[in-house]
Amino acid sequence: MPGREGVLPYFRKLERDLDFQPNDMAPGADPDSTHTGIRVAGIQPCCGSALARAGFARIDDQNDEFEPGYFPITINNEHDRRVSTAAGYLGADVRQRPNLTIFADTEARRVCFDGVR
């Protein structure tokens, strides 16, 4: 079973956490931005307080610490708008590529491969 080092490269590729400074865990280069929920109001602070009173530790980065505890939810949000995979990776420059066709409102039923392609 892969540990932290086994999954770390994938986390690096997948997210740019806006609540952490670029570092070993969140280098900040990916277009799929996330927040760790620090700005999320409502029930989350109450739940965190209750879990702390019950003896659970607060975990700042759920992708870096693998101990029992609680952590803020991770949301894909930037400027108060959800950042979908399409919005994060299919910017204007990518959408202009001649080798890309985007079929909106289309459901894929299967993916066919020619070898590894």
Side-chain angles (χ1 to χ4, degrees):
M1 182 169 110
R4 177 181 184 262
E5 296 307 316
V7 297
L8 183 59
Y10 299 101
F11 286 129
R12 283 185 177 148
K13 288 180 184 180
L14 288 174
E15 78 180 26
R16 174 175 54 103
D17 195 318
L18 301 174
D19 294 317
F20 285 94
Q21 293 298 317
N23 59 30
D24 181 52
M25 282 305 299
D30 192 81
D32 192 11
S33 61
T34 64
H35 280 289
T36 54
I38 292 169
R39 293 173 181 83
V40 178
I43 195 168
Q44 184 174 317
C46 296
C47 290
S49 296
L51 289 165
R53 285 192 306 274
F56 290 95
R58 183 186 187 328
I59 295 173
D60 288 324
D61 187 350
Q62 70 190 47
N63 295 335
D64 188 29
E65 301 173 48
F66 299 105
E67 301 298 324
Y70 69 96
F71 47 85
I73 61 168
T74 300
I75 56 174
N76 288 37
N77 237 8
E78 187 170 11
H79 308 297
D80 295 328
R81 293 189 58 131
R82 182 178 178 273
V83 179
S84 67
T85 301
Y89 288 94
L90 298 176
D93 56 332
V94 173
R95 291 171 186 266
Q96 306 268 332
R97 290 182 182 171
N99 64 342
L100 175 66
T101 303
I102 297 173
F103 296 97
D105 300 318
T106 303
E107 181 179 315
R109 294 177 183 247
R110 65 184 178 154
V111 177
C112 300
F113 291 92
D114 182 6
V116 295
R117 193 179 164 138

PDB file of all heavy atoms in Angstrom, residues 3 14 35 56 70 75-76 86 91 97 111:
ATOM      1  N   GLY A   3       2.367   4.759   0.745  1.00  0.00           N
ATOM      2  CA  GLY A   3       2.252   5.740   1.810  1.00  0.00           C
ATOM      3  C   GLY A   3       2.270   7.140   1.242  1.00  0.00           C
ATOM      4  O   GLY A   3       1.981   7.364   0.066  1.00  0.00           O
ATOM      5  N   LEU A  14      -2.632  17.593  -8.704  1.00  0.00           N
ATOM      6  CA  LEU A  14      -4.068  17.826  -8.704  1.00  0.00           C
ATOM      7  C   LEU A  14      -4.547  19.105  -8.054  1.00  0.00           C
ATOM      8  O   LEU A  14      -5.670  19.516  -8.297  1.00  0.00           O
ATOM      9  CB  LEU A  14      -4.783  16.657  -8.027  1.00  0.00           C
ATOM     10  CG  LEU A  14      -4.801  15.370  -8.819  1.00  0.00           C
ATOM     11  CD1 LEU A  14      -5.401  14.246  -7.987  1.00  0.00           C
ATOM     12  CD2 LEU A  14      -5.584  15.536 -10.098  1.00  0.00           C
ATOM     13  N   HIS A  35      -9.629  25.548  -1.582  1.00  0.00           N
ATOM     14  CA  HIS A  35      -9.528  26.178  -0.272  1.00  0.00           C
ATOM     15  C   HIS A  35      -9.724  25.070   0.743  1.00  0.00           C
ATOM     16  O   HIS A  35     -10.476  24.132   0.500  1.00  0.00           O
ATOM     17  CB  HIS A  35     -10.630  27.227  -0.044  1.00  0.00           C
ATOM     18  CG  HIS A  35     -10.358  28.539  -0.678  1.00  0.00           C
ATOM     19  ND1 HIS A  35      -9.386  29.394  -0.230  1.00  0.00           N
ATOM     20  CD2 HIS A  35     -10.936  29.140  -1.733  1.00  0.00           C
ATOM     21  CE1 HIS A  35      -9.393  30.478  -0.987  1.00  0.00           C
ATOM     22  NE2 HIS A  35     -10.318  30.346  -1.907  1.00  0.00           N
ATOM     23  N   PHE A  56      -9.821  14.986  19.750  1.00  0.00           N
ATOM     24  CA  PHE A  56      -9.243  14.832  18.413  1.00  0.00           C
ATOM     25  C   PHE A  56      -8.351  16.024  18.089  1.00  0.00           C
ATOM     26  O   PHE A  56      -8.640  17.151  18.472  1.00  0.00           O
ATOM     27  CB  PHE A  56     -10.346  14.715  17.354  1.00  0.00           C
ATOM     28  CG  PHE A  56     -11.094  13.426  17.435  1.00  0.00           C
ATOM     29  CD1 PHE A  56     -12.279  13.344  18.144  1.00  0.00           C
ATOM     30  CD2 PHE A  56     -10.618  12.293  16.808  1.00  0.00           C
ATOM     31  CE1 PHE A  56     -12.985  12.162  18.240  1.00  0.00           C
ATOM     32  CE2 PHE A  56     -11.307  11.095  16.888  1.00  0.00           C
ATOM     33  CZ  PHE A  56     -12.497  11.027  17.614  1.00  0.00           C
ATOM     34  N   TYR A  70      -9.418  15.854  12.876  1.00  0.00           N
ATOM     35  CA  TYR A  70     -10.415  16.556  12.069  1.00  0.00           C
ATOM     36  C   TYR A  70      -9.712  17.665  11.292  1.00  0.00           C
ATOM     37  O   TYR A  70      -8.646  18.128  11.664  1.00  0.00           O
ATOM     38  CB  TYR A  70     -11.544  17.119  12.936  1.00  0.00           C
ATOM     39  CG  TYR A  70     -11.124  18.255  13.836  1.00  0.00           C
ATOM     40  CD1 TYR A  70     -11.310  19.574  13.440  1.00  0.00           C
ATOM     41  CD2 TYR A  70     -10.541  18.010  15.074  1.00  0.00           C
ATOM     42  CE1 TYR A  70     -10.918  20.624  14.262  1.00  0.00           C
ATOM     43  CE2 TYR A  70     -10.148  19.052  15.894  1.00  0.00           C
ATOM     44  CZ  TYR A  70     -10.337  20.349  15.491  1.00  0.00           C
ATOM     45  OH  TYR A  70      -9.948  21.381  16.292  1.00  0.00           O
ATOM     46  N   ILE A  75     -12.663  22.618  -0.533  1.00  0.00           N
ATOM     47  CA  ILE A  75     -13.626  22.988  -1.570  1.00  0.00           C
ATOM     48  C   ILE A  75     -12.884  23.559  -2.771  1.00  0.00           C
ATOM     49  O   ILE A  75     -11.843  24.192  -2.615  1.00  0.00           O
ATOM     50  CB  ILE A  75     -14.666  24.006  -1.048  1.00  0.00           C
ATOM     51  CG1 ILE A  75     -13.978  25.248  -0.470  1.00  0.00           C
ATOM     52  CG2 ILE A  75     -15.559  23.377   0.001  1.00  0.00           C
ATOM     53  CD1 ILE A  75     -14.936  26.345  -0.061  1.00  0.00           C
ATOM     54  N   ASN A  76     -13.383  23.297  -3.948  1.00  0.00           N
ATOM     55  CA  ASN A  76     -12.798  23.837  -5.175  1.00  0.00           C
ATOM     56  C   ASN A  76     -13.486  25.162  -5.464  1.00  0.00           C
ATOM     57  O   ASN A  76     -14.483  25.218  -6.170  1.00  0.00           O
ATOM     58  CB  ASN A  76     -12.997  22.876  -6.341  1.00  0.00           C
ATOM     59  CG  ASN A  76     -12.136  21.664  -6.223  1.00  0.00           C
ATOM     60  OD1 ASN A  76     -11.929  21.155  -5.134  1.00  0.00           O
ATOM     61  ND2 ASN A  76     -11.622  21.201  -7.334  1.00  0.00           N
ATOM     62  N   ALA A  86     -13.287  21.314 -15.709  1.00  0.00           N
ATOM     63  CA  ALA A  86     -13.287  21.988 -17.007  1.00  0.00           C
ATOM     64  C   ALA A  86     -12.793  23.426 -16.882  1.00  0.00           C
ATOM     65  O   ALA A  86     -11.964  23.884 -17.662  1.00  0.00           O
ATOM     66  CB  ALA A  86     -14.677  21.955 -17.619  1.00  0.00           C
ATOM     67  N   GLY A  91      -8.843  26.280 -20.046  1.00  0.00           N
ATOM     68  CA  GLY A  91      -8.838  27.725 -20.207  1.00  0.00           C
ATOM     69  C   GLY A  91      -8.900  28.109 -21.674  1.00  0.00           C
ATOM     70  O   GLY A  91      -8.903  27.254 -22.570  1.00  0.00           O
ATOM     71  N   ARG A  97      -7.001  24.950 -29.017  1.00  0.00           N
ATOM     72  CA  ARG A  97      -6.168  23.933 -29.669  1.00  0.00           C
ATOM     73  C   ARG A  97      -6.928  23.275 -30.825  1.00  0.00           C
ATOM     74  O   ARG A  97      -8.091  22.900 -30.694  1.00  0.00           O
ATOM     75  CB  ARG A  97      -5.769  22.846 -28.665  1.00  0.00           C
ATOM     76  CG  ARG A  97      -4.793  23.321 -27.623  1.00  0.00           C
ATOM     77  CD  ARG A  97      -4.427  22.174 -26.715  1.00  0.00           C
ATOM     78  NE  ARG A  97      -3.531  22.620 -25.672  1.00  0.00           N
ATOM     79  CZ  ARG A  97      -3.193  21.874 -24.639  1.00  0.00           C
ATOM     80  NH1 ARG A  97      -3.666  20.649 -24.508  1.00  0.00           N
ATOM     81  NH2 ARG A  97      -2.372  22.353 -23.728  1.00  0.00           N
ATOM     82  N   VAL A 111     -14.993   4.549 -23.401  1.00  0.00           N
ATOM     83  CA  VAL A 111     -13.746   5.133 -23.874  1.00  0.00           C
ATOM     84  C   VAL A 111     -12.990   4.020 -24.585  1.00  0.00           C
ATOM     85  O   VAL A 111     -12.764   2.952 -24.018  1.00  0.00           O
ATOM     86  CB  VAL A 111     -12.897   5.703 -22.717  1.00  0.00           C
ATOM     87  CG1 VAL A 111     -11.570   6.235 -23.236  1.00  0.00           C
ATOM     88  CG2 VAL A 111     -13.666   6.797 -21.988  1.00  0.00           C
TER      89      VAL A 111
END
